[in-house]
Amino acid sequence: MIWGKLRIFIYAFNDNIMRRTTICFFLFFLFCLTLSAQPILDKPLDVRFDGIVLTEALDVLAKQNGVDFIYSPEIIPEKTVQIAEADMSLRELLDLMFYGTDVGYKIIAGQVVLFKKAEAVQKFTISGYVEDGSSGELLVGANVVVRRQPIGTSANAYGFFSLELPAGTHELVFSYSGYKTFFKKIDLRQNRSVKIKMDASLTLKEVVVTASELKTLEGNHNITHISSGDLNNMTSIGGERDLYRHLSMLPGVTTGADGIGGIHVRGGSIDQNLFLLDDVTIYNPVHMIGVFSIFNEDAIKSVDFMKGGFPAKYGGRLSSVTDIRTKDGNLYDWQTSIGLGLSTLRVMAEGPLVKGKSAVLFSARTTPLRWLVRPISRNYKAANNKEGETILSFYDINAKWHYRFSDKDKIYFSFYKGGDRYGDVNEVYYQTMSEEGQLNNRDRSDDDIRWGNQAGAFRWNHDFGDKLFMNTSLSYSRYGFTAQSTGVHVDTLLSTNSIFSLAQQQQFRSEIEDVNVKTDLEWHWSPSSQINFGGMSSLYYFTPGVSSQTGIVSFDSDVLELDRRFFDTIDNETVKAKDYALYLSHDLKWRRFQLTTGLRWSGMKTANRFYHAFLPRVNLAYRPFSFLQINGNYTLSQQYLHLLTTSGAGLPTDVWIPSTDDLAPERATQYNLGVDVQLGEHWAFGAEAYYKKMDNLIAYSENASFNFINSENYKSNVATGEGTAKGIELEWQYRSDKWQAALHYTLAKADRTFATINNGNAYPYRYDRRHDLKLLGTYTINDHWNVSASFLYGSGLAISLPVGRYNYNQPGSFQQPVEVLIYDARNSFRLPANHRLDISFLWKKTMKNTVQSINFGIYNVYSRKNALYYRLGRNPDNPSEPAFLQATLMPILPFVDYKIGF
Amino acid sequence: MTRRPFLALTFFLILIWGCEEVVELDLPFEEQLVVESDIAPGRRVTTTVAFASSILSTTPVTYVEDAAVFLKRVDDDEPYHQMTFMPSVSAANGQQARHSYYVLDEDLLAIEEGNTYELRVNAPGFDQIITTTRIPAKTTLDDLSFVSFTKSSDERRENIYNIKANIRFQHTDLDNFYHLMFFFTYPVTAWEINGQTMTVDTTQVPKVEDLEIAAGYVQDFQNGVLLDGADLDTGLVNLPIHLSVYYDADEEHPVNPALGIELRNTSEAYFKYRLAISQQQQQQDSIVNQPIIIPSNIGNGSGSFGGYIFDEGVIPLGN
């Protein structure tokens, strides 16, 4: 208003000379006044703005701090301002408020005059990579923000970031879990490329960035970023800080007792989880049916876990995406580490091939159980008059090589191979009598079951200028299962010394392979707008299941050589399938909103059909206040691969099959609505409700007319149905220098409906847990010690139990009656609640050339007998009496794990 | 062929070695009737009515002796015909033991192809049970051919013989359900009267070793074979079969054994009931598979009322 009056006064002078003279005088007068203005700009102010628009902020400043402003309202942009910091000078405050705008300010006559700058603000891009300062490891998901501004981004899965800012000096803040926050001032007069090196925090505690100035709008509540530091802080089983365990502690994720049965996300089946290891699909991500994941913690760099609101670049699964990135290898120094615990033995080596340009990483892991189980089983069998042994083992090998041609071009080659083996050999000698006389008998059985994954990927990262980033990969993945059972019988008739021998071998194999090529592009258009687009194609080879057997009989030798080539001659029909996908998504930040819209088109060709669909993804985040964010999203997903499973527990025997002419792709629609509240510096609260509807789910028909699956019969013996899952997830978090604590609670319901199962009535999903509570805490005692504890409680899983019995006995039949069990409805009973407390201590010491750590603790502290299953059997004390038997897996289990790195 | 459940079972057993214990569960169980009745043209209609027991019960099966059981043809205005109660017979007095059942006088009602029949059971204390079944169209055996009948290679084994033969029939409808049954018969010398040797036939059900068929099949709980027509290509089905039998050949009195084959074209209820029982038997030790819930067309109870029609043939085994 004052400025308006002044303008009228000036225009009242029509005479040019008079006007010039007056203006000169007036400007001189203003200049003199300006000289005395500096104290005003340096005046400390105590203000907090919570997401209000600039004009409101100016009013607040005027009323509460007595600052007079002169401005025309038209020049003030519609920008919100959030400032939580007190004791800031007026100059700092105005710089912050008008950052990135074309509004300037001057002090004239003790008043702040706001004016529009003559030239439009030029913008430039700063882009580059964020990496570990000592190893050169690219830091996935590192936060990059402009200090005190709600402007920022995060490094992508390849450590690349790009940010467009107005010309001028900016202070950028880089933060990442487990690293010291890094501040860098940049004078931006042209597009710039930088390489940011961050130093790991020397203390055990995670460096938590809690200052509200570092907060940018979080786009999606459903994405959880897990760094290797997060994994290090979790409690472990047998000393193994396993990714699967970490995921199972998140809200909305359920598993069976002691991890058996795999993870089930928001009522989804186990096959609806997509696991990507350096962009390669992993089909069976667990060892020992879920006790451990196949992902070696030593090799993991970061993990993004998504349980809804999937970005358009991900597809092919309905319920979750776990995007795992392995370390690239140290570019500057060779490092080695060795770890030994009760459950795993691990080695890792990484180092440069060409310093600063090329590095390799190799890690391997196996279980010491392989050396324990054999002698124990030998003794056990010997005590039961048998010879033989039991073999139980698993291993993982990760290798990675990368070369940095320049800051713009990098190539990577990564490889994984891992497997499980279970073997059981029994040999027994005994004597029998036949009509011809006494026989000396030898029976030998040899079961050998192996399964595992192989994965390899070649990747090329290219940075086109400062705003466009590309990742292209060619990958291969294979999961195979082979079970071989050999039986040998040899007997010798003592009277004639004649020999009879018989050998028989059975084999079952199933396999899935894929070759995938894909390209992802990120176009960092502006700080508020990013476009992602790309495409992929996969070629699959399925061998759903081949069962075959061969045998040999001899009357003169007890040495039997089975022709193993026989199994190679079996006509293993391989089913081929191809799928394709293209996607485009746009991420827009506008004022208090962030809107991510995406569209994915995917398709699969079967023998006579081409299934395809447009799959929209929408995510909207709204932050009305700096401490509050509301988030909602909609996701439509389609899955072309199905896992045929009898148990739903992710057994290695489960078989992957593709969609067929008669077997449509699975489809899911998911809605989420959530809220996040930051309560001060340390507390955070989150709540989210979800609803998921799944169609074309498959399951074995209740009366499938086969005993084993093969490529011929599976199509007509599976039923299709639907499922729903709904729930509310609550999350409290506390973080301070010493403490990290979280409480997760989920109230959920998941069911399935198949026309041919349970008489067409809906029934609870096997892994439906109504209540699921998880409590985690870590306390950092000092620079060397921390202690962690976790407690979990989950209501019982749904099971089916027989309630009655009768005999099938046809009148007049000369066959024995058959006992038939009567079941109530499918999954109508519940196992008892599952709960457990784990405690672990971590001691870590960094010396000149070595880093040592000891992790020890107790799993299942109060030895809760969590039920793995119930089964109908016989009472051991009275074998004539039927009884239900409960199986439990892991009682109280102390553990220790030692690791040294040098 | 039942290898997969076994593999999973053995793997699990090592993990849970010695960690099982008895738990007390209070499972709700309402007393219910079990009605079993298969009807076919040319076969006597029998119905068994029994009580199902609670799962942890140790008492033997109890049969209902005071029920009223009726059968009628639905397609015309035939009245209900009551079935006659046949009491149980104990194993004493040289007779084979058998439980009680209800039988229909063959003169009262003809069972014919294409007709639908309704069974009504009134048992005191239970709601009336009414259920129907249809007799499907007949599938005839086109050809039965003998391949071999040989003694097992191991001469010191018990007298196991292998039978190989071929069966051919026309599969015209994907909705058909087949139940193949085999009978191995041979005459046993019994006595001589006036210089004439009198013989009686002995019959056993062979063990099915293999069926060379690409589609899946299930060996049923009484050594028959269940084939779902949906798994077979329509047209002529050629089915090589491999069976084994226990045969104690009397070389002094050689006889001609024979293989009897019965091809049943069954109703869906009959097929699925037997299929489910077979699968339940096969995976009863599995702790990882979902349970097999037995389908039943007996409302308010368990069991099955199933219709079928059969064709049969005999293959002489050797000379």
Side-chain angles (χ1 to χ4, degrees):
Chain A
M1 293 296 290
I2 297 170
W3 174 244
K5 289 174 187 172
L6 197 63
R7 197 167 47 185
I8 294 166
F9 175 71
I10 293 170
Y11 288 155
F13 292 86
N14 288 327
D15 180 77
N16 279 346
I17 297 172
M18 185 65 184
R19 190 170 60 195
R20 283 178 196 158
T21 308
T22 308
I23 289 173
C24 286
F25 173 77
F26 184 70
L27 290 176
F28 176 75
F29 174 71
L30 289 181
F31 174 74
C32 293
L33 289 175
T34 307
L35 290 178
S36 62
Q38 296 313 314
I40 298 174
L41 284 175
D42 295 331
K43 178 182 176 184
L45 300 174
D46 184 7
V47 289
R48 289 171 198 272
F49 297 143
D50 193 3
I52 58 177
V53 295
L54 279 173
T55 49
E56 288 176 40
L58 291 172
D59 283 347
V60 171
L61 275 176
K63 286 175 185 167
Q64 294 184 0
N65 297 278
V67 181
D68 289 333
F69 290 97
I70 300 173
Y71 63 94
S72 171
E74 309 90 70
I75 69 167
I76 307 298
E78 289 188 10
K79 178 189 171 186
T80 56
V81 56
Q82 291 179 6
I83 293 172
E85 194 168 323
D87 298 330
M88 193 181 285
S89 71
L90 180 60
R91 185 196 309 280
E92 288 174 314
L93 190 61
L94 292 174
D95 285 344
L96 279 176
M97 288 169 62
F98 296 105
Y99 177 88
T101 70
D102 54 359
V103 177
Y105 63 89
K106 279 184 177 176
I107 304 298
I108 299 174
Q111 294 173 316
V112 182
V113 179
L114 305 179
F115 60 90
K116 191 165 185 174
K117 292 174 183 170
E119 295 178 0
V121 177
Q122 265 195 301
K123 291 190 173 178
F124 298 102
T125 301
I126 179 164
S127 63
Y129 292 86
V130 187
E131 61 182 42
D132 181 293
S134 61
S135 68
E137 194 73 50
L138 297 171
L139 301 179
V140 177
N143 287 311
V144 186
V145 294
V146 180
R147 193 171 186 202
R148 292 174 173 155
Q149 289 294 331
I151 296 173
T153 186
S154 55
N156 67 10
Y158 316 99
F160 176 81
F161 76 95
S162 175
L163 197 57
E164 190 186 63
L165 298 171
T169 303
H170 309 270
E171 189 171 14
L172 298 181
V173 185
F174 298 83
S175 63
Y176 191 66
S177 176
Y179 285 79
K180 290 177 182 173
T181 303
F182 182 79
F183 298 85
K184 185 175 179 67
K185 274 196 173 169
I186 288 178
D187 187 23
L188 199 60
R189 303 289 169 198
Q190 58 185 352
N191 290 341
R192 284 188 62 176
S193 180
V194 295
K195 189 188 289 182
I196 302 300
K197 293 176 182 289
M198 295 180 69
D199 293 329
S201 171
L202 292 176
T203 59
L204 290 176
K205 72 193 178 209
E206 181 187 2
V207 172
V208 182
V209 180
T210 54
S212 57
E213 66 179 13
L214 298 183
K215 283 195 167 53
T216 57
L217 197 60
E218 300 289 342
N220 193 335
H221 179 95
N222 291 274
I223 300 178
T224 304
H225 182 75
I226 302 163
S227 68
S228 58
D230 295 329
L231 284 176
N232 285 336
N233 276 342
M234 69 173 293
T235 52
S236 56
I237 172 171
E240 193 73 9
R241 288 177 286 273
D242 193 79
L243 173 64
Y244 231 55
R245 302 251 149 209
H246 192 99
L247 298 181
S248 68
M249 295 303 282
L250 296 174
V253 181
T254 58
T255 183
D258 300 307
I260 298 293
I263 62 169
H264 302 256
V265 181
R266 289 181 169 173
S269 314
I270 191 161
D271 59 320
Q272 294 173 359
N273 303 319
L274 175 63
F275 283 89
L276 294 170
L277 182 67
D278 283 332
D279 288 335
V280 190
T281 302
I282 298 295
Y283 290 97
N284 186 354
V286 292
H287 290 303
M288 296 173 70
I289 322 181
V291 178
F292 302 107
S293 77
I294 66 158
F295 308 110
N296 183 348
E297 58 159 302
D298 289 341
I300 293 177
K301 178 162 70 176
S302 71
V303 180
D304 278 330
F305 176 68
M306 293 154 247
K307 54 191 177 185
F310 310 128
K313 70 180 283 192
Y314 297 107
R317 297 292 188 278
L318 304 187
S319 288
S320 79
V321 177
T322 309
D323 191 351
I324 300 149
R325 301 285 160 183
T326 59
K327 292 173 181 168
D328 297 332
N330 195 318
L331 277 168
Y332 304 108
D333 292 304
W334 276 96
Q335 287 189 330
T336 309
S337 69
I338 299 170
L340 175 63
L342 295 178
S343 57
T344 58
L345 167 64
R346 312 174 300 278
V347 294
M348 188 187 78
E350 57 177 326
L353 293 180
V354 180
K355 213 164 190 173
K357 276 190 171 294
S358 175
V360 289
L361 176 141
F362 173 85
S363 73
R365 181 175 73 156
T366 188
T367 175
L369 289 174
R370 66 191 311 156
W371 296 293
L372 294 173
V373 169
R374 279 194 184 199
I376 291 171
S377 63
R378 274 192 214 119
N379 290 337
Y380 179 82
K381 288 176 193 293
N384 289 282
N385 299 316
K386 287 182 186 173
E387 291 181 7
E389 61 184 12
T390 300
I391 300 160
L392 187 66
S393 68
F394 67 81
Y395 73 94
D396 297 300
I397 297 170
N398 291 80
K400 195 167 184 179
W401 168 81
H402 84 281
Y403 189 88
R404 299 182 179 185
F405 291 100
S406 68
D407 283 344
K408 291 190 180 296
D409 286 288
K410 301 178 178 67
I411 58 169
Y412 300 81
F413 178 75
S414 54
F415 171 79
Y416 167 82
K417 184 172 171 59
D420 284 62
R421 186 182 176 200
Y422 167 71
D424 192 38
V425 180
N426 288 290
E427 193 156 8
V428 59
Y429 296 85
Y430 58 98
Q431 292 186 331
T432 55
M433 289 298 295
S434 72
E435 291 175 1
E436 287 80 9
Q438 185 174 320
L439 288 171
N440 279 350
N441 300 277
R442 176 168 72 90
D443 285 342
R444 179 185 170 89
S445 67
D446 188 343
D447 289 322
D448 192 2
I449 311 172
R450 297 165 193 245
W451 64 98
N453 299 277
Q454 285 176 49
F458 173 79
R459 271 191 5 235
W460 171 38
N461 285 178
H462 181 67
D463 171 11
F464 296 93
D466 305 304
K467 292 188 173 182
L468 186 61
F469 177 85
M470 180 191 74
N471 174 62
T472 294
S473 65
L474 174 67
S475 63
Y476 167 81
S477 181
R478 175 187 178 276
Y479 169 69
F481 172 83
T482 304
Q484 194 161 285
S485 179
T486 308
V488 175
H489 170 84
V490 177
D491 63 41
T492 307
L493 186 62
L494 289 183
S495 58
T496 60
N497 229 19
S498 65
I499 294 173
F500 168 76
S501 52
L502 167 74
Q504 192 173 35
Q505 193 168 65
Q506 292 179 309
Q507 194 182 72
F508 177 86
R509 282 189 290 161
S510 72
E511 192 174 289
I512 178 171
E513 286 179 286
D514 80 57
V515 179
N516 174 280
V517 59
K518 73 170 185 175
T519 295
D520 300 311
L521 291 117
E522 294 176 10
W523 182 18
H524 300 262
W525 191 2
S526 73
S528 59
S529 180
Q530 180 177 323
I531 294 171
N532 297 331
F533 57 102
M536 58 76 69
S537 177
S538 292
L539 175 62
Y540 299 95
Y541 298 90
F542 298 86
T543 309
V546 176
S547 181
S548 47
Q549 58 182 22
T550 185
I552 186 171
V553 173
S554 172
F555 293 100
D556 53 12
S557 170
D558 60 355
V559 180
L560 299 173
E561 288 294 331
L562 282 162
D563 185 1
R564 291 172 192 273
R565 288 171 302 175
F566 165 79
F567 293 109
D568 298 330
T569 66
I570 300 295
D571 183 18
N572 301 343
E573 188 186 338
T574 299
V575 181
K576 280 187 194 176
K578 288 179 188 171
D579 73 4
Y580 316 87
L582 295 169
Y583 71 90
L584 173 67
S585 73
H586 181 220
D587 192 16
L588 176 69
K589 292 174 184 169
W590 179 72
R591 300 185 64 180
R592 299 172 189 178
F593 294 90
Q594 179 173 349
L595 176 66
T596 305
T597 49
L599 185 66
R600 182 180 180 87
W601 171 84
S602 69
M604 175 177 261
K605 177 85 178 76
T606 62
N608 297 306
R609 292 189 66 170
F610 183 63
Y611 292 106
H612 71 102
F614 288 97
L615 308 167
R617 316 276 168 91
V618 181
N619 184 74
L620 178 64
Y622 172 59
R623 177 169 276 195
F625 309 105
S626 62
F627 61 88
L628 176 70
Q629 178 172 308
I630 300 165
N631 190 90
N633 57 56
Y634 163 80
T635 307
L636 184 61
S637 309
Q638 189 143 299
Q639 178 168 333
Y640 298 99
L641 309 186
H642 317 269
L643 188 68
L644 264 178
T645 171
T646 52
S647 63
L651 293 179
T653 49
D654 296 342
V655 175
W656 285 97
I657 56 172
S659 296
T660 64
D661 291 350
D662 305 317
L663 206 58
E666 296 177 24
R667 199 174 172 92
T669 310
Q670 187 174 178
Y671 305 89
N672 301 310
L673 183 64
V675 61
D676 288 287
V677 184
Q678 182 76 34
L679 302 167
E681 292 290 303
H682 304 299
W683 288 92
F685 168 77
E688 179 150 52
Y690 65 88
Y691 176 80
K692 183 159 61 179
K693 173 86 169 59
M694 297 166 279
D695 295 305
N696 300 330
L697 301 179
I698 70 159
Y700 280 125
S701 299
E702 210 156 52
N703 305 112
S705 59
F706 60 94
N707 281 343
F708 69 95
I709 314 162
N710 64 28
S711 51
E712 286 286 327
N713 64 22
Y714 75 88
K715 299 166 197 168
S716 58
N717 286 295
V718 294
T720 57
E722 59 187 43
T724 57
K726 53 193 170 189
I728 297 172
E729 298 165 2
L730 304 177
E731 195 172 356
W732 286 269
Q733 283 193 354
Y734 177 83
R735 289 187 168 194
S736 68
D737 288 351
K738 293 280 186 185
W739 278 98
Q740 280 188 64
L743 189 152
H744 300 154
Y745 170 76
T746 306
L747 174 67
K749 186 174 188 292
D751 56 35
R752 299 284 189 271
T753 309
F754 285 77
T756 56
I757 297 175
N758 201 40
N759 296 320
N761 298 319
Y763 59 90
Y765 179 50
R766 171 88 173 83
Y767 288 85
D768 172 39
R769 281 199 197 280
R770 190 70 67 247
H771 304 280
D772 197 21
L773 177 74
K774 291 142 183 173
L775 186 59
L776 307 101
T778 299
Y779 178 67
T780 303
I781 300 167
N782 55 37
D783 286 351
H784 302 299
W785 283 93
N786 77 9
V787 56
S788 299
S790 63
F791 172 77
L792 61 87
Y793 172 92
S795 47
L797 300 179
I799 55 167
S800 304
L801 290 175
V803 294
R805 67 170 85 212
Y806 64 90
N807 285 347
Y808 178 85
N809 192 3
Q810 287 282 41
S813 169
F814 50 88
Q815 303 222 18
Q816 289 295 313
V818 173
E819 185 178 74
V820 181
L821 301 180
I822 302 171
Y823 285 85
D824 207 346
R826 172 76 72 100
N827 291 346
S828 56
F829 296 99
R830 295 277 172 171
L831 286 172
N834 181 84
H835 52 90
R836 193 184 75 226
L837 173 68
D838 306 331
I839 293 177
S840 73
F841 296 85
L842 178 66
W843 172 85
K844 191 173 183 181
K845 187 161 188 181
T846 304
M847 286 171 280
K848 190 177 178 183
N849 294 316
T850 60
V851 178
Q852 294 181 75
S853 67
I854 298 174
N855 183 214
F856 62 95
I858 300 172
Y859 178 87
N860 198 357
V861 171
Y862 53 89
S863 202
R864 161 74 178 177
K865 290 181 177 176
N866 288 311
L868 188 62
Y869 63 79
Y870 285 162
R871 74 174 179 92
L872 181 64
R874 294 278 157 188
N875 188 337
D877 299 329
N878 182 6
S880 65
E881 189 179 283
F884 283 105
L885 304 172
Q886 173 187 315
T888 52
L889 190 58
M890 294 191 194
I892 185 169
L893 189 68
F895 62 84
V896 61
D897 182 88
Y898 172 74
K899 184 178 175 182
I900 181 166
F902 41 86
Chain B
M1 296 303 176
T2 55
R3 199 69 191 144
R4 290 186 65 249
F6 166 74
L7 294 171
L9 175 69
T10 49
F11 182 81
F12 252 93
L13 283 178
I14 189 67
L15 281 173
I16 55 160
W17 203 353
C19 299
E20 284 190 340
E21 57 187 35
V22 174
V23 286
E24 298 289 331
L25 297 179
D26 183 20
L27 300 179
F29 176 70
E30 288 183 16
E31 197 168 48
Q32 58 178 267
L33 289 180
V34 181
V35 177
E36 309 267 13
S37 185
D38 293 339
I39 64 168
R43 294 263 158 93
R44 194 173 60 153
V45 179
T46 61
T47 301
T48 300
V49 185
F51 295 108
S53 313
S54 131
I55 191 67
L56 298 179
S57 166
T58 53
T59 55
V61 175
T62 311
Y63 290 91
V64 180
E65 300 188 342
D66 54 354
V69 182
F70 304 90
L71 187 72
K72 78 166 186 178
R73 188 162 49 230
V74 175
D75 307 80
D76 48 33
D77 287 335
E78 277 279 333
Y80 277 110
H81 300 284
Q82 182 160 8
M83 297 172 77
T84 308
F85 175 68
M86 301 293 286
S88 61
V89 174
S90 66
N93 305 323
Q95 290 195 58
Q96 192 180 357
R98 63 144 212 266
H99 60 77
S100 64
Y101 61 97
Y102 299 83
V103 63
L104 184 72
D105 186 339
E106 292 176 25
D107 297 334
L108 289 177
L109 182 66
I111 309 299
E112 293 166 341
E113 179 180 339
N115 284 338
T116 300
Y117 295 86
E118 183 176 293
L119 182 74
R120 196 179 87 192
V121 179
N122 294 325
F126 291 89
D127 291 340
Q128 177 177 263
I129 291 170
I130 296 179
T131 180
T132 60
T133 192
R134 187 170 180 275
I135 308 298
K138 189 172 182 176
T139 298
T140 53
L141 288 163
D142 283 359
D143 182 35
L144 301 175
S145 56
F146 170 73
V147 176
S148 65
F149 178 60
T150 54
K151 192 173 184 182
S152 170
S153 316
D154 180 7
E155 294 179 351
R156 291 171 302 161
R157 302 289 101 192
E158 294 176 343
N159 298 310
I160 303 298
Y161 280 70
N162 292 312
I163 304 170
K164 290 190 175 177
N166 282 326
I167 302 169
R168 290 191 183 88
F169 63 90
Q170 285 291 337
H171 171 50
T172 55
D173 190 343
L174 290 175
D175 291 332
N176 281 354
F177 299 97
Y178 301 108
H179 186 195
L180 265 170
M181 301 186 79
F182 308 101
F183 304 96
F184 176 70
T185 59
Y186 61 97
V188 176
T189 303
W191 62 86
E192 282 191 10
I193 298 176
N194 299 329
Q196 193 174 2
T197 304
M198 305 295 291
T199 60
V200 292
D201 280 352
T202 184
T203 301
Q204 65 172 286
V205 177
K207 182 183 175 195
V208 177
E209 297 289 346
D210 194 17
L211 251 67
E212 292 177 29
I213 183 168
Y217 69 92
V218 167
Q219 192 171 326
D220 90 336
F221 55 95
Q222 290 180 328
N223 272 325
V225 167
L226 295 166
L227 283 168
D228 188 340
D231 292 338
L232 302 172
D233 295 330
T234 52
L236 183 66
V237 174
N238 183 22
L239 206 58
I241 56 172
H242 177 196
L243 312 171
S244 65
V245 291
Y246 175 86
Y247 178 48
D248 189 6
D250 183 351
E251 294 182 359
E252 289 184 8
H253 302 91
V255 293
N256 293 325
L259 178 68
I261 295 170
E262 184 175 313
L263 175 64
R264 295 180 177 183
N265 196 354
T266 78
S267 66
E268 186 175 357
Y270 172 105
F271 182 87
K272 294 201 165 172
Y273 183 66
R274 281 188 165 258
L275 182 68
I277 294 177
S278 306
Q279 291 174 326
Q280 196 181 74
Q281 295 296 309
Q282 285 164 7
Q283 69 167 52
Q284 60 185 350
D285 292 329
S286 172
I287 52 178
V288 294
N289 289 337
Q290 287 284 1
I292 301 295
I293 297 174
I294 309 296
S296 174
N297 59 351
I298 307 297
N300 310 321
S302 296
S304 159
F305 177 47
Y308 69 91
I309 189 165
F310 66 95
D311 189 24
E312 57 188 344
V314 174
I315 303 176
L317 301 174
N319 299 320

